[in-house]
Amino acid sequence: MCPEPYYIQGEKENMRQLININSGWSFLKDTKEIPATLPTDWEVVNVPHTWNNIDGMDGGSDYFRGTCNYAKVIKKADLPVADCYYLEINGAASSADVYVNGKAMAHHDGGFSTWRVNITEELTEETLIVVAVDNAANDKVYPQVADFTFYGGMYRDVNIIAVAESHFDLDYYGGKGFVITPRMVNDTDAIVRMQAYVANKKENQSVHFVIKDAEGNVVAETAKAEKANDAKGLAENIALIDLEQDIKNVHRWHGRKDPYLYTAVAELVEDGTVVDTVEARFGCRTYEIDPQNGFILNGEEYPLRGVSRHQ
């Protein structure tokens, strides 16, 4: 649960807001020091950032692998009014720890995934955030050995997410709190299962689902979904809204030939006011793997090439 909301000047704002904080991080290489105040003698960098931009590209195979720290002060007055605040890190390679005003808040292994930390209770007028990032070899992050540099750093966006007390869940492994599962039911129509996970849902709140085509036209809509499923394994404060919606005359996703995507939108509505919203893109298709004919997409043979990319 979130604590009582902290208000700055102005009325309470309910809608989710994302504040990018990529710029102006203080950075120190090869240190495990967690400062109590913002250091004035550290290098100032902007995210995306890596400390291996030079030694990781010179071919010497002796690039630095260890712990480096990023520090930044967040001013409460610069944030929108909200009940809850999350720090969102979209990529920190390869392991990282978050400290807020000197307090250890979270540890994350894996440099390729989004993760979040609820920092609501620790926010003060000026909050010091330190992210200790480590690209040293360990037995929790794979691959262990590869033909590329294991670049260290915060190399994707870093944000603050401000939300109301009731919101689409932000705590489950960096997900959206919104899961889309489409399936074809015949040659022309599809059924889309939409599952919205709502944190701290209230009795007077419902979820409004909309599906839009690639041009933004509404092709399916559920005005009011109120019933929360009693799903197993959910946290006590999480409600699951789960339903299926038809799409008539569906436009199929067909790989590179026709990468057509729909957009599903979920709105959390309280007494006629939208308090949170999330969206996700998806495609509708059928597929199968045939031992004689290979990969079959939408009833057609579709060749797969054994190529990829890594960063």
Side-chain angles (χ1 to χ4, degrees):
M1 297 292 289
C2 302
E4 288 296 316
Y6 179 103
Y7 293 99
I8 56 177
Q9 293 182 356
E11 297 180 354
K12 179 179 178 180
E13 301 174 5
N14 284 322
M15 282 295 294
R16 172 183 302 218
Q17 296 189 58
L18 186 146
I19 304 92
N20 182 268
I21 56 170
N22 281 356
S23 63
W25 287 85
S26 296
F27 172 77
L28 185 62
K29 183 179 178 180
D30 194 12
T31 181
K32 295 185 179 181
E33 173 194 357
I34 305 301
T37 59
L38 185 68
T40 58
D41 57 346
W42 290 13
E43 179 186 1
V44 177
V45 302
N46 297 325
V47 174
H49 177 266
T50 176
W51 57 78
N52 298 123
N53 57 314
I54 296 176
D55 64 2
M57 299 181 65
D58 61 10
S61 298
D62 58 351
Y63 61 95
F64 177 76
R65 299 187 69 178
T67 300
C68 301
N69 282 351
Y70 297 84
K72 185 179 179 68
V73 168
I74 303 297
K75 295 183 178 180
K76 187 80 180 235
D78 293 338
L79 300 177
V81 178
D83 297 336
C84 303
Y85 298 89
Y86 284 80
L87 175 68
E88 179 182 71
I89 299 174
N90 285 284
S94 55
S95 297
D97 293 272
V98 167
Y99 299 84
V100 179
N101 292 329
K103 180 180 178 180
M105 296 292 294
H107 174 82
H108 180 81
D109 290 310
F112 301 102
S113 56
T114 296
W115 52 293
R116 305 187 187 98
V117 185
N118 188 335
I119 61 173
T120 310
E121 295 186 5
E122 306 305 321
L123 280 181
T124 55
E125 293 296 333
E126 293 192 355
T127 303
L128 176 64
I129 295 177
V130 177
V131 185
V133 185
D134 183 5
N135 70 332
N138 66 64
D139 60 2
K140 294 183 179 180
V141 178
Y142 288 89
Q144 298 287 308
V145 179
D147 62 345
F148 55 84
T149 299
F150 293 95
Y151 289 98
M154 292 201 298
Y155 70 100
R156 291 179 182 159
D157 285 350
V158 181
N159 304 306
I160 299 291
I161 303 177
V163 290
E165 179 183 14
S166 299
H167 56 268
F168 294 105
D169 185 39
L170 289 164
D171 288 300
Y172 189 76
Y173 293 102
K176 290 176 174 286
F178 189 29
V179 178
I180 311 299
T181 309
R183 61 183 176 90
M184 298 297 302
V185 294
N186 53 44
D187 290 339
T188 60
D189 301 339
I191 290 179
V192 180
R193 183 183 184 186
M194 294 179 286
Q195 297 168 287
Y197 295 82
V198 182
N200 309 316
K201 184 181 180 299
K202 302 176 183 177
E203 291 294 330
N204 61 336
Q205 292 175 339
S206 59
V207 178
H208 178 205
F209 291 106
V210 174
I211 297 177
K212 300 178 182 180
D213 62 18
E215 289 73 42
N217 303 307
V218 175
V219 297
E221 185 171 10
T222 301
K224 195 174 185 181
E226 295 178 311
K227 185 177 180 181
N229 294 341
D230 185 21
K232 296 181 179 180
L234 295 181
E236 291 184 0
N237 69 319
I238 303 299
L240 170 60
I241 310 296
D242 188 349
L243 57 79
E244 292 184 337
Q245 182 70 60
D246 296 337
I247 300 180
K248 302 296 183 182
N249 300 312
V250 69
H251 189 144
R252 297 195 185 204
W253 179 91
H254 202 77
R256 292 185 62 193
K257 293 181 180 179
D258 189 7
Y260 190 92
L261 295 176
Y262 290 88
T263 299
V265 181
E267 296 178 330
L268 181 61
V269 181
E270 179 178 335
D271 297 330
T273 300
V274 177
V275 297
D276 195 16
T277 183
V278 289
E279 64 179 45
R281 295 193 299 170
F282 67 94
C284 297
R285 76 286 183 268
T286 62
Y287 67 91
E288 60 180 306
I289 299 176
D290 185 279
Q292 302 301 323
N293 300 310
F295 184 74
I296 310 299
L297 179 64
N298 296 321
E300 299 179 8
E301 293 184 21
Y302 197 91
L304 300 180
R305 310 300 184 194
V307 296
S308 186
R309 63 178 182 176
H310 58 69
Q311 45 191 358

